[in-house]
């Protein structure tokens, strides 16, 4: 058999000297290790070692399995072999040549001139060099950099042989370059626009978002390819999948894998790890978008970066938000974001039409009749009648023209009927394929737009020539080699998605169901490295169920549906880890729908309801919780019933808060013994988390801490690490505001910094603790860094919350009420934009405190009253802050009776909470009201109580201020025993 293959020779240099220097046994061991390592490298790239000749290795790429990229595989092997030689303690030289050989003889794998030339090229190389021949270079030119050598005069060759020294390899290069059948026609203006956008990106060192819109087949991909050819930039690409709702970040993961870098910021690096499913630590969409932006910016530091995102009309909202974040916030880096989509994208993102900063939209119109004729002329020669029919049917669609002419070439028919649509045309062209070729194409279509050879082999076990048939499909320009997503696999991409759809649509539903199930099994065995394996496997199992149900074969669905449900639920859990709420809702809803008659599963129902609640659909979440409780009661599942009731009551506090906390608390007290007896850890996590919310609202921080700690334990036992990590901020806040001494809190934060370095919540809590110790410069540095990081991430609510209570408390401690008012106003503005009320009420109360310190009595009184009205009556901290400020305002205005009444009402609430600093503030404010009324003795008693609480917390700033005020009110220093911490 004659084949075109690539031959590789690798020889150890200085072997004679090695023999003189080493003991024979040592030399034998070294060479054995060398041969074993070289053989492993060759085989890992699909080559075959023919033989060892002395200390030389001869390998053949293309025998017994022929690949379209054998030359590139050989070059990659050569680079890897050269890199491995120093570790073995030897040097080598390598030669490669491609040519036609005879294979399959009993003596040798390959015989021919290419073998001899490869051996001579290896001999001509210097130690550490790789030398290749002209034919090999022609096949890998786009993936390598070379230096031309003087033509070699080789023994037995009449003419000198061209030789090239390999310098570098682009490891991300496709198997071989994509050759389009004709040059671009009629797109000069669009090419100039794209080039101009790139030049602007480079000159301005900025990020531009360009959206290229056009109908399927109009030539978007070709325009991108030709417009970017030759630009001095790094090009990375990702594509959105047309199937599997909830696969939000698939194209971003493709881009990150091509960049192969991690951001320098440890928090950003952890968010990327979460995105790539390497960590269960939660990351919000804002954090992920920020981390991806940091990665792109750092990748663009050395050279401009062009990031192409294909088929983005299929993108989930989270991905579109990420693209907008990068476009809006990226600074100082040359990044061109080029999104390729169909026109319907603008229905979802009208701002991309040019209303956004640095956003440009290009609409690719159909070709004119003249341009269509020009394209026909470039692609082939047809008679006038056929030209007219093709032009009329194509309606300016280049893909139609190309496929029509390809079908004519393939069929060789004299009389050709022009199908009326591109879909009909593609179906007709596929009908002309040999049955085995078509079967291979159809099985690839089951996987998707990009598919892997191994999957096709698994779906076509009776076809022995899958690789050859794929090469034939490549030759016919139906598929192209592509970058694989699964290591060790060859990948192919349909030349156009419409071709994939035509191949898939021709499959009977019975066959589709079987193939989807078998592909899911194959992907489970080979796709462990995919970050979104559960989403993809779940989708294919879901499709298998769908087609069987449509065929009335419900009896074949049971176990399959439960498997799909399990995988989709797992995918929904992964989405919640990265806080991708929209994806989580879709995935969990699909999990519920694929097996609607499955057994009652609390995790599924909770995941569904929780995702809906986080998505702002509280009423829908409550409906699911109520349904869970009812079904649990009907089936005698007490755990499910109680879990549903707790969830319903917990979420109802946000819709009808008055009295809801009391009802929820009573329900939890009733439920906990039964849930503990059942060992229902997920239900206990839900109950303890809900109890923590109640305790926080009631101002019982120590109970909040205990509930959060218990919830943490139950989350871990339930195998829900993503829920466990989300409790860390609650644990820190409970200790910052509660009775935990400052030094103990700092020690706890030290331990957290080891487990979660750079955690923003821990940084905020540390700043609050340091402020109580008077270390304001350090505290502000930490707080400002945390605020800037969250703002940089685009997390508006998170930024508002940090800018609110923690930052305002810090400035009040630092005695800078002007800054406190500025921060609180910024926080309130953002919260009001999002129609938030709970946090807003507390921050308004703190703003009133700061305004009172500035003698802005009217403003302080107005905000104190507004805070009380916004907050619920059992929101103790908010009500305390409101009463304290109003009491001081009344006292300053001379109404001492009302002032004292309100101040004592605030103290009465304070005595029910353990928020030590805020309790101390209530007593200090009572003392101020009493001093204004002339009640100095009672004021000293109140101020003494304030010092006790500050001292117990370890807050030396407020303690010392209270002591100074006591010194002003008493003729001699107070007895230390009288103010000892209680």
């Amino acid at each position: 058999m004659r084949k075109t293959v690539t031959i590789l020779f690798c020889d150890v240099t200085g072997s004679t000297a090695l023999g003189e220097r080493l003991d024979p046994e040592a030399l034998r061991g070294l060479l054995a290790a060398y041969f074993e390592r070289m053989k492993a490298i060759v085989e890992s790239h699909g080559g075959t070692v023919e033989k060892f000749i002395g200390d030389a290795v001869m390998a053949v790429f293309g025998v017994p399995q022929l690949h379209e990229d054998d030359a590139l595989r050989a070059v990659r092997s050569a680079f890897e072999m050269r890199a491995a030689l120093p570790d073995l303690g030897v040097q080598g030289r390598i030669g490669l040549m491609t040519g036609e050989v005879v294979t399959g003889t009993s003596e040798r794998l390959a015989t021919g001139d290419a073998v001899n030339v490869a051996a001579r090229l290896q001999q001509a190389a210097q130690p550490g060099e790789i030398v290749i021949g002209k034919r090999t270079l022609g096949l890998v030119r786009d993936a390598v950099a070379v230096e031309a050598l003087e033509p070699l005069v080789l023994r037995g060759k009449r003419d000198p042989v061209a030789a090239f020294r390999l310098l570098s390899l682009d490891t991300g290069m496709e198997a071989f370059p994509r050759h389009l059948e004709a040059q671009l026609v009629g797109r000069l203006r669009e090419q100039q626009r794209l080039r101009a956008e790139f030049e602007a990106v480079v000159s301005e060192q900025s990020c531009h978002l360009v959206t290229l819109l056009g109908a399927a087949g109009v030539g978007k991909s070709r325009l991108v390819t030709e417009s970017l050819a030759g630009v001095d930039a790094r090009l990375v690409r990702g594509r959105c999948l047309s199937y599997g709702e909830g696969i939000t970040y698939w194209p971003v993961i493709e881009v990150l894998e091509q960049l192969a870098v991690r951001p320098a910021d440890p928090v950003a690096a952890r968010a990327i790890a979460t995105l790539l499913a390497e960590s269960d630590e939660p990351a919000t969409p804002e954090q992920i978008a920020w981390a991806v932006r940091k990665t792109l910016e750092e990748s663009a530091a050395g050279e401009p970066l062009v990031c192409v995102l294909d088929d983005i009309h299929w993108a989930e909202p989270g991905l579109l938000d990420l693209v907008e974040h990068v476009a809006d916030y990226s600074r100082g880096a040359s990044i061109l974001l080029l999104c390729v989509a169909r026109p319907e994208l603008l229905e979802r993102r009208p701002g991309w039409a040019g209303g956004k900063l640095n956003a440009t939209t290009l609409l690719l119109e159909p070709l004119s009749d003249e341009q269509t004729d020009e394209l026909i002329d470039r692609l082939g020669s047809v008679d006038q009648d056929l030209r007219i029919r093709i032009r009329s049917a194509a309606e300016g669609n280049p893909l139609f023209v190309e496929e029509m002419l390809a079908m004519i070439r393939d069929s060789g028919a004299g009389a050709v009927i022009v199908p009326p649509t591109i879909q009909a045309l593609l179906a007709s062209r596929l009908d002309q394929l040999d049955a085995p070729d078509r079967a291979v194409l159809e099985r690839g279509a089951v996987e998707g737009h990009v598919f892997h050879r191994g999957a096709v082999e698994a779906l076509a076990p009776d076809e022995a020539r899958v690789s050859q048939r794929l090469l034939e499909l490549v030759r016919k320009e139906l598929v192209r080699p592509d970058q694989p997503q699964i290591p060790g696999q060859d990948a192919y991409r349909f030349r156009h998605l419409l071709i994939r759809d035509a191949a898939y649509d021709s499959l009977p539903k019975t066959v589709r169901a079987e193939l989807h199930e078998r592909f899911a099994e194959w992907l489970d065995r080979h796709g462990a490295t995919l970050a979104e394996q559960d989403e993809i496997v779940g989708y294919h199992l879901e499709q298998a169920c769908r087609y069987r149900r449509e065929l009335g074969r419900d009896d074949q669905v049971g176990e399959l549906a439960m498997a799909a449900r399990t995988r989709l639920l797992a995918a929904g859990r992964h989405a919640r880890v990265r806080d991708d709420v929209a994806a989580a809702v879709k995935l969990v809803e699909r999990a519920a729908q694929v097996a609607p008659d499955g057994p009652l599963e609390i995790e599924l129902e909770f995941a569904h309801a929780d995702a809906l609640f986080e998505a702002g659909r509280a009423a829908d979440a409550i409906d699911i919780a109520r349904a869970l409780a009812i079904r649990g009661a009907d089936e005698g599942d007490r755990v499910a019933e109680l879990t549903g009731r707790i969830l319903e009551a917990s979420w109802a506090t946000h819709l009808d808060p008055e009295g809801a906390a009391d009802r929820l608390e009573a329900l939890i007290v009733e439920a906990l013994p039964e849930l503990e007896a059942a060992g229902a850890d997920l239900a206990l996590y839900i109950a303890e988390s809900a109890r923590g919310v109640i305790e926080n609202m009631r101002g019982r921080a120590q109970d909040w801490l205990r509930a959060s700690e218990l919830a943490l334990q139950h989350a871990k036992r339930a195998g829900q690490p993503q829920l466990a990590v989300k409790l860390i901020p609650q644990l820190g806040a409970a200790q910052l505001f509660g009775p935990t001494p400052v030094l103990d809190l700092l020690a706890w934060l030290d331990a957290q910094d080891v487990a979660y370095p750079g955690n923003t919540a821990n940084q905020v809590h540390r700043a609050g603790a340091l402020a109580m110790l008077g270390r304001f410069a350090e505290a502000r540095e930490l707080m400002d860094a945390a605020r800037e990081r969250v703002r940089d991430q685009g997390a508006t609510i998170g930024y508002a919350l940090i800018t609110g209570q923690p930052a305002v408390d810090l400035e009040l401690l630092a005695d800078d009420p002007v800054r406190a008012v500025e921060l609180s106003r910024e926080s309130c503005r953002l919260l009001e934009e999002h129609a938030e009320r709970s946090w807003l009420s507390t921050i308004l109360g703190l703003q009133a405190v700061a305004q009172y310190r500035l003698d802005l009595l009217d403003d302080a009184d107005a905000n104190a009253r507004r805070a009380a009205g916004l907050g619920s009556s059992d929101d103790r901290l908010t009500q305390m802050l409101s009463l304290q400020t109003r009491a001081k305002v009344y006292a300053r205005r001379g109404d001492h009776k009302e002032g004292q009444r309100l101040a004592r009402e605030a103290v009465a609430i304070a005595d029910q909470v353990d928020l030590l600093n805020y309790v101390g503030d209530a007593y200090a404010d009572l003392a101020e009201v009493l001093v204004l009324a002339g009640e100095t003795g009672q004021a000293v008693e109140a101020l003494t109580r304030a010092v006790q609480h500050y001292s117990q917390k370890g807050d030396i700033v407020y303690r010392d201020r209270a002591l100074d005020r006591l010194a002003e009110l008493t003729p001699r220093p107070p007895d230390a025993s009288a103010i000892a911490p209680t």
Side-chain angles (χ1 to χ4, degrees), residues 34-354:
Y34 157 71
F35 290 136
E36 182 179 357
R37 181 75 179 110
M38 297 303 103
K39 183 174 184 289
I41 291 173
V42 168
E43 291 178 349
S44 72
H45 289 275
T48 302
V49 173
E50 170 158 334
K51 61 182 177 179
F52 301 117
I53 309 169
D55 49 17
V57 176
M58 174 187 169
V60 184
F61 290 81
V63 176
Q65 180 73 54
L66 190 69
H67 305 93
E68 75 286 341
D69 61 343
D70 279 321
L72 187 55
R73 290 168 179 252
V75 168
R76 287 174 173 159
S77 294
F79 273 95
E80 192 172 336
M81 293 164 80
R82 184 176 68 177
L85 290 175
D87 292 339
L88 298 168
V90 297
Q91 269 196 314
R93 51 192 182 187
I94 302 173
L96 297 98
M97 186 60 184
T98 302
E100 191 174 56
V101 299
V102 176
T103 68
T105 65
S106 58
E107 298 85 7
R108 304 185 63 179
L109 285 176
T111 304
D113 185 59
V115 178
N116 300 325
V117 174
R120 301 295 184 266
L121 292 175
Q122 171 256 305
Q123 293 165 6
Q126 296 299 310
E129 285 186 351
I130 304 170
V131 176
I132 66 174
K134 186 176 181 179
R135 289 198 66 180
T136 304
L137 177 60
L139 294 170
V140 300
R141 185 182 303 276
D142 293 319
V144 300
V146 300
E147 178 185 0
L149 301 174
E150 286 292 328
L152 302 177
V153 178
L154 301 180
R155 188 177 60 190
K157 301 293 291 183
R158 183 184 63 185
D159 299 321
V161 174
F164 304 86
R165 180 185 297 116
L166 280 178
L167 301 178
S168 64
L169 170 69
D170 181 355
T171 57
M173 190 62 193
E174 292 183 341
F176 55 75
R178 294 168 57 169
H179 300 291
L180 302 176
E181 290 188 52
Q183 295 179 355
L184 201 61
V185 171
R187 303 303 190 193
L188 180 60
R189 181 182 66 84
E190 290 85 354
Q191 281 187 279
Q192 291 172 340
R193 288 281 303 276
L194 286 179
R195 291 276 187 156
E197 288 289 341
F198 175 73
E199 291 167 1
V201 160
V202 175
S203 63
E204 299 169 7
Q205 285 195 310
S206 61
C207 178
H208 284 210
L209 169 62
V210 178
T211 309
L212 179 60
L213 299 173
V218 79
K220 301 185 294 295
S221 296
R222 177 168 295 180
L223 175 64
V224 170
T225 299
E226 296 209 12
S227 299
L228 298 179
V231 299
D232 188 13
R234 184 171 186 186
L235 174 65
V236 292
R237 303 185 76 126
R239 78 192 190 289
C240 295
L241 300 182
S242 61
Y243 63 87
E245 290 180 322
I247 305 180
T248 299
Y249 294 109
W250 179 269
V252 175
I253 292 171
E254 287 189 306
V255 167
L256 292 173
E257 289 175 343
Q258 292 166 53
L259 292 175
V261 296
R262 294 296 174 92
D265 187 296
V267 178
R270 286 202 304 278
I272 295 296
T274 297
L275 176 60
L276 297 177
E278 297 171 356
S279 168
D280 285 329
E281 183 174 351
T284 66
E286 294 84 3
Q287 289 171 330
I288 289 173
W290 165 73
V292 170
R293 173 166 63 83
K294 290 294 184 185
T295 306
L296 297 179
E297 289 173 347
E298 292 173 20
S299 298
E303 61 179 332
L305 180 67
V306 178
C307 181
V308 180
L309 299 176
D310 285 315
D311 296 327
I312 203 167
H313 47 275
W314 284 315
E316 294 286 339
L319 176 62
L320 299 178
D321 291 341
L322 183 149
V323 172
E324 289 188 359
H325 171 92
V326 175
D328 289 344
Y329 288 92
S330 184
R331 300 290 183 271
S334 298
I335 303 173
L336 177 61
L337 289 175
L338 181 51
C339 295
V340 183
R342 296 179 188 170
E344 55 263 32
L345 173 69
L346 290 188
E347 297 177 6
R348 301 169 60 195
R349 298 288 159 135
W352 289 24

Side-chain angles (χ1 to χ4, degrees), residues 215-219 342 389-390 392-407 418-430 478 495-503 505:
V218 79
R342 296 179 188 170
R389 285 189 287 142
I390 292 175
S392 175
E395 296 182 339
N397 189 303
L399 178 65
F400 190 108
V401 175
E402 293 172 15
E403 290 299 321
M404 187 70 246
L405 293 175
M407 186 173 73
V418 178
T421 66
I422 184 65
Q423 289 80 10
L425 166 61
L426 293 172
S428 298
R429 188 176 176 204
L430 296 185
L478 290 166
R495 191 170 71 85
H496 197 282
L497 188 64
L498 292 178
I499 299 174
R500 180 265 168 186
D501 291 345
D505 291 344

